[in-house]
Amino acid sequence: MSPAAIVLAPGLIHHPGRLDAAARERLAAEVAELLAAAPPFIPRMPRTGKPFSVRMSNGGPLGWVSDEAGYRYQATHPETGRPWPPIPPLALETWAALAPDAAPPEACLVNLYAPDARMGLHQDRDEADLSAPVLSLSLGAPARFRYGGLSRSDPTRSIRLEPGDAIVMGGPSRLAFHGIDRILAAAPDLLAETESGPPFLPAGWRCNLTLRRVTAPCVPRSA
Ligand SMILES: O=C(O)CCC(=O)C(=O)O
Ligand SMILES: [Mn+2]
């Protein structure tokens, strides 16, 4: 049975150990297949063009990209020009289990963190539909995840995210500020897994998937 969920804030739920070792292995194989079709690219900051420290790819009808022209979702890979491959099936199954009332996700952003990579405090707000949560799944090295409130200046807290952990950010926390302070060393019992992980994830690297609903689903009009 998966361990109990922890409510970090209203709508911000941490599911430690949601994916057991077999599920992590299956998800890693699915992500390897995704990355073979859509190789990681290095996103750049809007305007300045400064490269991110995180490498990215996507699955699904839409993918999140960033470059001098700004943040956006688009249907094709910025370098290959090809459509994104499908969202990993295990990630879709986890969405159905943890976000049963939401419309299906349209984007699965894959973040690859080298040991010195980080992601600054931000909101996920490029989606037209904010009624669905964002679902995050982690593989590889652990990380320090920081979260706060709806204003950048609100107080923040942090937790350690382990491989196999899921986070659901929805409801009143859908627009909560969050980020990754740093990548951490694996605990002894998970060291072997992070050091001999799938070839797309070198030792000490972390992979995070975020599933997002991007467009507002059509709502049938009542008579
Ligand atoms: O890597 C993580 O856990 C968070 C990723 C994230 O916030 C994002 O991709 O917007
Ligand atoms: Mn985010």
Side-chain angles (χ1 to χ4, degrees):
M1 204 173 64
S2 107
I6 299 165
V7 180
L8 301 174
L12 182 57
I13 320 291
H14 179 202
H15 297 267
R18 171 74 201 184
L19 306 179
D20 63 15
R24 295 196 292 274
E25 199 175 322
R26 188 183 139 201
L27 182 60
E30 292 176 358
V31 174
E33 198 178 324
L34 180 156
L35 293 173
F41 61 92
I42 301 180
R44 302 183 300 277
M45 289 298 288
R47 291 187 302 279
T48 63
K50 183 172 180 281
F52 282 36
S53 61
V54 179
R55 298 181 194 182
M56 296 185 174
S57 187
N58 289 275
L62 293 171
W64 189 88
V65 301
S66 178
D67 59 20
E68 289 77 351
Y71 304 137
R72 64 193 175 278
Y73 282 95
Q74 64 181 44
T76 54
H77 190 290
E79 289 168 4
T80 69
R82 290 198 297 263
W84 303 106
I87 296 178
L90 182 54
L92 285 178
E93 287 168 28
T94 312
W95 175 279
L98 297 184
D101 300 327
E106 296 167 298
C108 174
L109 174 61
V110 180
N111 291 316
L112 298 174
Y113 295 81
D116 61 352
R118 56 184 294 280
M119 188 178 287
L121 213 59
H122 67 278
Q123 293 169 296
D124 292 351
R125 56 179 315 150
D126 299 322
E127 300 77 26
D129 181 15
L130 297 175
S131 66
V134 171
L135 169 65
S136 135
L137 298 173
S138 294
L139 292 174
R144 184 137 297 276
F145 174 79
R146 185 162 295 280
Y147 62 95
L150 301 182
S151 301
R152 185 176 286 281
S153 55
D154 286 346
T156 62
R157 289 169 177 248
S158 73
I159 56 165
R160 187 181 161 107
L161 272 188
E162 296 287 351
D165 284 11
I167 296 253
V168 177
M169 284 182 81
S173 287
R174 176 60 184 76
L175 287 176
F177 275 86
H178 61 282
I180 294 294
D181 287 356
R182 57 189 297 257
I183 304 305
L184 304 170
D189 59 326
L190 287 170
L191 204 54
E193 181 174 321
T194 56
E195 284 187 351
S196 65
F200 74 84
L201 209 55
W205 284 51
R206 170 173 184 263
C207 173
N208 174 265
L209 310 183
T210 47
L211 279 78
R212 300 125 184 266
R213 177 78 198 181
V214 180
T215 63
C218 292
V219 180
R221 257 175 224 275
S222 51

